[in-house]
Structure formats: structure tokens, C-alpha cells
Amino acid sequence: MPVHLSPPDAASLHPVSGVRIGVAEAGIRKAGRKDLTVMLLDEGASVGGVFTQNRFCAAPVQVCREHLTAGAGADIRALVINTGCANAGTGAAGLEAARRTCDALAAQLGVRPQQVLPFSTGVILEPLPLERLQAGLPAALADAQPAHWLKAAEGIMTTDTVPKARSVKASVGGAQVTVTGISKGAGMIRPNMATMLGFVATDACVAPGLMPQLARALAESSFNRVTVDGDTSTNDSFIVIATNKAGHAPVQSLQSPEGQALFAALLEVARWLAQAIVRDGEGATKFITVQVEGGQNAAECRQVAYAIAHSPLVKTAFFASDPNLGRILAAIGYAGIADLDTEKIDLYLDGVHVATRGGRHPDYREEDGQRVMKQPEITVRVNLGRGAASETVWTCDLSHEYVSINADYRS
Amino acid sequence: MPVHLSPPDAASLHPVSGVRIGVAEAGIRKAGRKDLTVMLLDEGASVGGVFTQNRFCAAPVQVCREHLTAGAGADIRALVINTGCANAGTGAAGLEAARRTCDALAAQLGVRPQQVLPFSTGVILEPLPLERLQAGLPAALADAQPAHWLKAAEGIMTTDTVPKARSVKASVGGAQVTVTGISKGAGMIRPNMATMLGFVATDACVAPGLMPQLARALAESSFNRVTVDGDTSTNDSFIVIATNKAGHAPVQSLQSPEGQALFAALLEVARWLAQAIVRDGEGATKFITVQVEGGQNAAECRQVAYAIAHSPLVKTAFFASDPNLGRILAAIGYAGIADLDTEKIDLYLDGVHVATRGGRHPDYREEDGQRVMKQPEITVRVNLGRGAASETVWTCDLSHEYVSINADYRS
């Protein structure tokens, strides 16, 4: 049961001028599934991307990096996404299959293969069924419509239980712009139907050279701040598309007023999509915000936040609604800050002051902790008492269902 | 169900001359439990210790460090171990309680408080019931016998399902020596009945100055190479005792022939005790050896080994006997070796060659992987193809039972 996450209403997802989406059944892994999605971009769109840091990165990730570098993200015309096979751990043959995928779609669109970005999600170590994928492309192209965002959100799902899509409108440089995005995933890596994918498009006008920075900055405050199990997929990809249709002067800098307005709208969508992955996390029953403040720098705040968010003991305590809060202190203690002074640490669970000066707060009562732990949404707030930096990470609990999903997958 | 681990036969545990053990029920957390153990050492023993790196280290750990430093480990006369309360996250009052524990036992033995080492394991953030502990000491002292090693192994258990004790004899410097040890724990941190504890004693003669190095070297190849859930307790302690009774010339160096003979015997016991913790790991159904070779240095081999051993996805795949081996490649990929060349990596599951050159081995068949995955003991072997270093880590799978144990604890 996802935590406070319902399927989006198709009418709430605004089309983005310059983007058309088509979905088809290609039978990649199983028959009768919508497993192939194409996203077609009008000429003139700017595209930026951020990809997995996993050294075993999948073949399509390698090809995406090449194609974005080759054209500096200014000439991309199509994205093609398959589920059912990650095309990762597949060596030279996998790379060739990813390239052939681009060739096939490019030929049908009359563009160059370098203008296509491929994405795959599914089982690792198995070859991509290239012929079935290619055979499915005409149906996907025939299906392409601006209004198909919900279909796309459904088309890229693997073991997600809810399609994830979000849309907002904002004013940028005097024009009204639309931001619409989709994501999939239920962990940094979902079973080995691996992978988190995120695609956000806007009709706003953005200088192509700004796109890599925009993608990185958005990912840093959204997809790079969520974790289910700490596993990083071989295929993680986040793509930002600006179709440059909204008719305002192109955004040249993220610091300008119009840059800030656009960034805020994009971040709202990206963060919602990232949090949706946690809300639909494998077996999740609680949505946990871990907020670490009072650090000397952002990096040490993240270290502590991830130590808490990744601790199986903390996560099972949340699942059990057990205010076993010593586990959080223990995680703070082993997060790796060598000169951490535990005497300066405060711990709060929502509004409840649990620990101070390295020990239990004198006013803390177990029933207060219990009350917060029973909620479906909980904020853990840690003050390290060392400085002014802060960071926030979102995660979920660790339940029986997580083990079931991951143990039973592939069967 | 622990993996290939049965309760030890009391007759197999050889007494160590110069060590007597007594156990009592002190009612620390619950009545009717043997929760207080004393280990009494004859004058002249040498003691070394290794403790948790957690910054939130428990009060008894702080006191152990002080007392071992004060006397350089050459004057310790007693160890006192309670279960039921970790005395961690308890601030100044907790430190005072640990000191009063030493005072009380020292007074009854007619030694100085600095000659006593205290150990606690149990719930974090709760005060140590000092009066009950003190009241239990006379019964524990009255019970003290050289043959009580099995009682001690039982006395320090918390949620362990099997007492852990091991004994060997060896020839050192022309004398026959005995090595006997006990351990407890079912994870680096067990629920928040936290903590791994290990105590190994020998009647061999060891120069006191060698003890800290001996303890560190043993821990590095035993207790520091096991992991259940990656959580590091606030109370982890490993103590090595040499009673200097065996009548041979004291070992002055671990490089000498007698030093090597003694180290081998101690390591056999320490490693067995450490592995027993994994075999009895929370909900464990499989015992996994992760062997990483071909690294440039030992540190990067450990990085990769722990990435595999800590991955919830790898661990659930082992639980399910699912040869979902792409998960292992993914963990290798995100272990943090920036210049890792995936083309040079080989992966074996016992004798089965699963992956080569970053992809599936052409001869690998799913049924071979399946056969190995069904075994209760499995070796994952990774060759990084970068150098000559290697490291081994032991871990277990992640099962429904792990979640149950950790979610239901304290109830």
C-alpha cells in the first residue's frame, strides 16, 4: 500500500507543447504488457540528463551520455523507453543492441541515431530482445499524442503499484509555462526490475547550455535525496526537456528571476515525482522525512541523514511503530563524523523532543514517541550542534512486504 | 534457525587456568533470567581490547577504555557483563553507573575499581538499574568456577538463539596452551538489545605490551569481517585475555614462531565465534562468504565485499534462493571504486562462473546458479582484475524473520 499516493487524474496532467507520447506492447519480457514508450520532441528542444554513478552502468545509459555529449543536448528528437529488460551487465552485445534501438527509431523518424536517447529497465544480465523491441516501434509511433502523459507513466512502470505523474503551471519571463513529468521506481534499485527513471518536460525556453546544470541541480534536490534500500541501480536516469515553445526570452541563468521561477516549478514536479517513488517504495507503510541540521557542511548532514535512512534497524522500528529511538542515536554515532560531540545532539520526532545532550530528554515520554511513530508520515529531525548546514532525505520503512517483493521477484 | 550452528558441548570447552566464571540472575530487565556474568582473573593476566567505533559509544565502553589505558592491560582482575540494558545514550548518569558497577565488584574482590572492566548489552536510552546489578554480584561471585564457560556463553545471550563458545588447544613455545572463548550477538547491532560481545582467554604467556596489537589483529580477521545488517552497535567489545599460566617464555612478537602459533589458535577461536554470530544472525537461513580478490589494495576489496554483504537486494535474493546475480554486479558497481573497469570483472558462485568481462559468462546456465543458491552455505567470489589484494567478509541473508525480530522487539 503506497503511503498517501493515488493514481493521477489524466485531466490534471497538462500536455507540454512540443512533446508527443506513444505507448505499445512489444512483448519484451511478457506478452500483453505496455512495455515500450516513445517520447517525440519537436525540433528545437533542449535536453539535459543525470545518470547513475554505478560503474556497472547499463548500455542505454552509456549511449545516452554519448548522444547528449555529441549534440550538447540541443538536437534530441526522441526518447525510447522499454521495461522488462535493463540491458545491463550485457557487455559489448548490449551496447550494440542499445545503438540498434536508436538506429531503428531514427530511421522511422528521419533523424540521426544520435538524436535518440534510449532507456531500459528490468532484469540485469539478460540480453535485450532487440527484434521484438524494433517490431513494436511502429505501433508506439502511431499512438503518439500530446495528451498521453498518464499512458507514459503507466508504460514505464515495472513493479510500481501506482503510476507517477505530476503537472504544474508557472509564470516565467512573462509567459505561462507548463511543467509535466513522470517517474518510475520503488527504490534506488527495484528488485532487479532495477531502476528509477524520471522525465520532466516544460515548454519553457531555456538556453541549451544551461540544461546539464539544470538537470544536476534538480536531481540534487529531488531524486538524489530519496532512498528506499540504499541500492543504486545500473540504469537510473533523470531527463529534463525544455521544448522552447512558450515564447518568452530563453532563460540564461538559474540565478535570474525567470531562472528561479522556472527552477521552482521544475523542482516542485521533480520532488513530487521523487517522493512518489518512496511513497510507493517496496512494501512501504510509512513516509519518513529525515532532516539533519546544525552540521558544519551539507556533506556531513547527508552522511548522518543516510545513515539513519539506510539503517535496517531504524526502518524496521518505523514499520513496527516502535519508538525504539536509541537506534537512531546509534545510526548518528556510526555515520562517520570522527569528531562528533554526542553531548551536543538533539533528536526530535515531529514536535517531540526525544534526546538532548546525548541522552534521553528529561521530559520525553514513551507515549509521545509512540503517538508519532503510529502516523503514516513522520519527520525525524536531528540537530548536530556543529554549524549552520542542513540537508533533507526522504525514505520509507522496511516491512515484511519488502522482503516478499524482493525475494519473490522473477518467479 | 541458525545455519549449521549447534549449542556447544560443555565438555568440549576447556577451562583456562587463571579464569573463573560466575553467573547470576539480577533481574536487570526481566526476572528469572541469568543476566549477570563475572569473569575473574588471577593476578598477572594480560588483557587487550577492541571497542565500537560508534561515536555514541556506551558508558561501559568508555570505562573499559580508561581502565585498559590506566593499567596498560596488565592489572585487570575482573570483567562484569550484564544483559537487558546497554547503558548507552544515558549521558553522565550512565557513566556514573558504570563506574559504580566497577566500584562494587572491586570492593568485594579487594582490588581497585580500575582493575574491573564493565560490559553491558540491551536496550539503549534506558538507565542501568544499578542497585539490582550490585545486589546480584554476591551470587555471581559465589558461582565462580573455571568450568563455567558454557554458563557464561548462556549468561551473555540476549536474543541469540544458540550460546556461542569454542575451545582449542595448541602448542606454543614448547608448552600446550588452551584457548577458550565466548561471543554473543546476531548482527553488528542486535535489535537494540544491541551489541556483539566477544571474550577469548588463553593460559598462554604474552608480554602485556603485545595485547592491544593482538586484540586488534584478531578482531581485524574475525569480528571486523562479519556483518548482518551493517549497523554498528554502541557497545561492541572484543576482549583477549592471556593468563600467563602455561609456563613457557612469554610471546614478545606476533612474527615469532611461538607468536604465530598462538595467533593461529586464537584466530581459530575468534573467527569461529564471529562466524557463529552470522550463523545465528537475525532470521538467517544462509551463511554467505564474500571473497573479493584481484584488488589494488585490501581497502577496496573490503569496500566491494561490504557493498555486496550489505545490499538488501542481494540478501533477499539469497533468502529466496534466486540466482538474481545482476544484483551482485550492481553492488560491485556502486561500491565506490571510481576507476573500476567492469570489463575485467569475474564473478563466481561457489564453482560456477557466472559473469566475465562485465557480462554473463557464455557457459553460465541458470540451473547451475539455482543449484548453488539453494545451499545453506554459499561463497560469492569476485575477481576485480586490478591487483593482488584480497579480503573475505561473512554475512547472512535477509529474511522475513529479520523484519519480525526487529519489528517485534521490546514488545
Side-chain angles (χ1 to χ4, degrees):
Chain A
M1 274 292 295
V3 183
H4 294 171
L5 182 70
S6 312
D9 176 8
S12 74
L13 303 174
H14 313 296
V16 176
S17 173
V19 179
R20 288 175 303 135
I21 295 166
V23 177
E25 295 179 5
I28 301 287
R29 184 174 163 80
K30 292 184 180 167
R33 276 199 186 178
K34 295 215 165 73
D35 54 9
L36 183 63
T37 301
V38 294
M39 198 177 281
L40 308 179
L41 311 184
D42 284 1
E43 199 167 356
S46 316
V47 176
V50 181
F51 301 94
T52 181
Q53 295 303 303
N54 196 312
R55 292 294 305 168
F56 260 105
C57 80
V61 169
Q62 296 178 53
V63 173
C64 275
R65 285 193 174 118
E66 283 173 22
H67 289 187
L68 281 175
T69 305
D75 60 356
I76 299 298
R77 297 296 304 282
L79 286 63
V80 51
I81 309 144
N82 73 273
T83 64
C85 173
N87 193 8
T90 44
L95 204 54
E96 185 64 15
R99 293 195 202 288
R100 291 292 82 77
T101 302
C102 296
D103 292 350
L105 183 54
Q108 292 180 53
L109 294 172
V111 302
R112 286 174 293 112
Q114 287 75 16
Q115 294 179 281
V116 177
L117 300 179
F119 304 86
S120 297
T121 174
V123 182
I124 302 178
L125 269 185
E126 291 189 7
L128 185 71
L130 181 61
E131 288 186 10
R132 292 204 291 279
L133 192 158
Q134 288 176 337
L137 286 174
L141 289 174
D143 184 56
Q145 295 289 340
H148 278 178
W149 282 92
L150 181 55
K151 273 185 99 167
E154 291 164 349
I156 64 173
M157 285 169 72
T158 52
T159 44
D160 304 61
T161 68
V162 176
K164 301 167 181 73
R166 186 74 166 178
S167 195
V168 301
K169 288 190 180 283
S171 174
V172 173
Q176 194 191 51
V177 307
T178 297
V179 177
T180 302
I182 57 174
S183 67
K184 69 133 291 196
M188 281 297 92
I189 190 173
R190 173 115 205 196
N192 81 352
M193 287 291 279
T195 302
M196 157 256 128
L197 297 178
F199 302 94
V200 175
T202 178
D203 55 353
C205 307
V206 182
L210 195 59
M211 294 306 290
Q213 183 192 340
L214 184 59
R216 273 197 307 274
L218 285 172
E220 270 304 291
S221 295
S222 59
F223 290 97
N224 282 347
R225 289 295 171 273
V226 295
T227 179
V228 170
D229 49 22
D231 278 279
T232 306
S233 155
T234 49
N235 295 55
D236 290 341
S237 305
F238 170 57
I239 295 290
V240 186
I241 299 160
T243 61
N244 298 311
K245 298 271 191 182
H248 58 90
V251 172
Q252 302 286 347
S253 147
L254 296 183
Q255 275 66 56
S256 65
E258 58 277 14
Q260 292 184 13
L262 177 62
F263 187 80
L266 286 165
L267 183 59
E268 185 182 334
V269 170
R271 194 173 272 178
W272 191 94
L273 292 171
Q275 292 183 0
I277 288 176
V278 174
R279 292 181 186 282
D280 196 18
E282 297 168 334
T285 73
K286 304 269 171 80
F287 180 82
I288 319 288
T289 300
V290 183
Q291 207 173 312
V292 178
E293 50 195 43
Q296 283 179 355
N297 51 58
E300 71 176 30
C301 293
R302 281 196 300 274
Q303 248 176 286
V304 171
Y306 280 118
I308 296 169
H310 288 157
S311 161
L313 293 171
V314 171
K315 291 164 93 83
T316 46
F318 278 115
F319 170 56
S321 300
D322 178 5
N324 197 335
L325 301 167
R327 293 181 181 180
I328 298 179
L329 293 186
I332 297 167
Y334 69 67
I337 304 184
D339 61 345
L340 185 72
D341 182 353
T342 57
E343 291 280 305
K344 292 195 175 153
I345 289 176
D346 284 285
L347 171 66
Y348 301 81
L349 212 58
D350 277 12
V352 178
H353 199 163
V354 173
T356 188
R357 296 178 51 81
R360 190 186 183 109
H361 191 283
D363 297 339
Y364 172 67
R365 298 175 313 156
E366 180 101 354
E367 54 266 42
D368 293 332
Q370 180 74 65
R371 180 173 42 74
V372 178
M373 290 298 276
K374 283 187 173 156
Q375 301 166 182
E377 305 222 6
I378 300 165
T379 297
V380 175
R381 185 155 67 87
V382 177
N383 194 313
L384 299 176
R386 296 160 54 87
S390 68
E391 279 277 1
T392 299
V393 160
W394 297 279
T395 191
C396 59
D397 56 339
L398 171 57
S399 69
H400 283 289
E401 191 62 16
Y402 176 89
V403 177
S404 294
I405 293 169
N406 285 291
D408 301 345
Y409 176 68
R410 296 208 332 167
S411 58
Chain B
M1 275 292 296
V3 185
H4 294 170
L5 182 71
S6 313
D9 177 8
S12 74
L13 303 174
H14 314 296
V16 176
S17 174
V19 179
R20 288 175 302 134
I21 294 164
V23 177
E25 294 178 6
I28 301 286
R29 183 173 163 82
K30 292 185 180 165
R33 275 198 187 178
K34 296 216 165 72
D35 54 8
L36 183 63
T37 301
V38 295
M39 200 176 281
L40 307 179
L41 310 184
D42 284 1
E43 198 166 354
S46 316
V47 176
V50 181
F51 301 94
T52 182
Q53 295 302 304
N54 196 311
R55 291 294 304 167
F56 261 104
C57 80
V61 168
Q62 295 178 54
V63 173
C64 274
R65 285 192 174 119
E66 282 173 25
H67 290 186
L68 281 174
T69 305
D75 61 355
I76 300 298
R77 296 296 304 280
L79 286 63
V80 51
I81 308 144
N82 74 273
T83 63
C85 174
N87 193 10
T90 44
L95 204 55
E96 185 64 15
R99 294 195 200 289
R100 291 292 81 79
T101 302
C102 296
D103 292 350
L105 183 55
Q108 291 179 55
L109 293 172
V111 302
R112 287 173 294 113
Q114 289 74 17
Q115 294 178 281
V116 178
L117 300 180
F119 304 86
S120 297
T121 174
V123 183
I124 302 178
L125 269 186
E126 293 189 6
L128 186 71
L130 181 61
E131 288 187 9
R132 294 205 290 279
L133 193 159
Q134 289 175 335
L137 286 174
L141 289 174
D143 183 56
Q145 296 288 342
H148 278 179
W149 282 93
L150 181 55
K151 274 186 96 167
E154 292 163 349
I156 64 173
M157 285 169 73
T158 52
T159 44
D160 304 61
T161 68
V162 176
K164 300 167 181 74
R166 186 72 166 181
S167 196
V168 302
K169 287 188 181 282
S171 174
V172 173
Q176 195 192 48
V177 307
T178 297
V179 177
T180 302
I182 56 174
S183 66
K184 69 133 290 195
M188 281 297 94
I189 191 173
R190 172 109 203 203
N192 81 350
M193 287 289 278
T195 302
M196 158 257 129
L197 296 178
F199 303 94
V200 175
T202 177
D203 56 353
C205 306
V206 182
L210 195 59
M211 295 305 291
Q213 184 193 338
L214 184 59
R216 273 197 307 274
L218 285 171
E220 271 304 291
S221 296
S222 59
F223 290 97
N224 283 348
R225 290 294 171 276
V226 295
T227 179
V228 170
D229 49 21
D231 277 279
T232 306
S233 155
T234 50
N235 294 55
D236 290 340
S237 304
F238 170 58
I239 295 290
V240 187
I241 298 160
T243 62
N244 298 310
K245 297 273 192 182
H248 58 89
V251 173
Q252 302 287 348
S253 148
L254 296 183
Q255 275 65 57
S256 66
E258 58 276 16
Q260 292 185 13
L262 177 62
F263 187 79
L266 286 165
L267 183 59
E268 184 181 337
V269 170
R271 195 172 272 180
W272 190 96
L273 292 171
Q275 292 183 0
I277 288 176
V278 174
R279 291 180 187 282
D280 196 18
E282 297 168 334
T285 73
K286 305 267 171 83
F287 180 83
I288 319 288
T289 300
V290 183
Q291 207 173 310
V292 177
E293 50 195 44
Q296 282 179 358
N297 52 58
E300 70 177 29
C301 293
R302 281 197 300 276
Q303 248 175 285
V304 171
Y306 280 117
I308 296 169
H310 288 155
S311 160
L313 293 171
V314 171
K315 291 164 92 83
T316 47
F318 278 114
F319 170 56
S321 301
D322 178 6
N324 197 333
L325 301 166
R327 293 180 181 180
I328 298 179
L329 293 186
I332 297 167
Y334 68 68
I337 303 183
D339 61 346
L340 186 71
D341 182 354
T342 58
E343 291 280 306
K344 292 192 174 156
I345 288 176
D346 284 285
L347 172 64
Y348 301 81
L349 212 58
D350 278 14
V352 178
H353 200 164
V354 173
T356 189
R357 297 177 53 83
R360 190 186 184 111
H361 191 284
D363 297 339
Y364 172 68
R365 298 175 313 156
E366 181 101 352
E367 54 265 41
D368 293 332
Q370 181 74 60
R371 180 173 42 78
V372 178
M373 290 297 276
K374 283 188 172 157
Q375 301 167 182
E377 306 223 4
I378 300 165
T379 296
V380 175
R381 187 155 66 87
V382 177
N383 195 313
L384 299 175
R386 296 159 55 86
S390 67
E391 280 277 0
T392 299
V393 160
W394 297 280
T395 192
C396 57
D397 56 337
L398 172 57
S399 69
H400 284 290
E401 191 62 15
Y402 176 89
V403 177
S404 294
I405 293 170
N406 285 292
D408 301 346
Y409 177 69
R410 295 205 338 167
S411 58

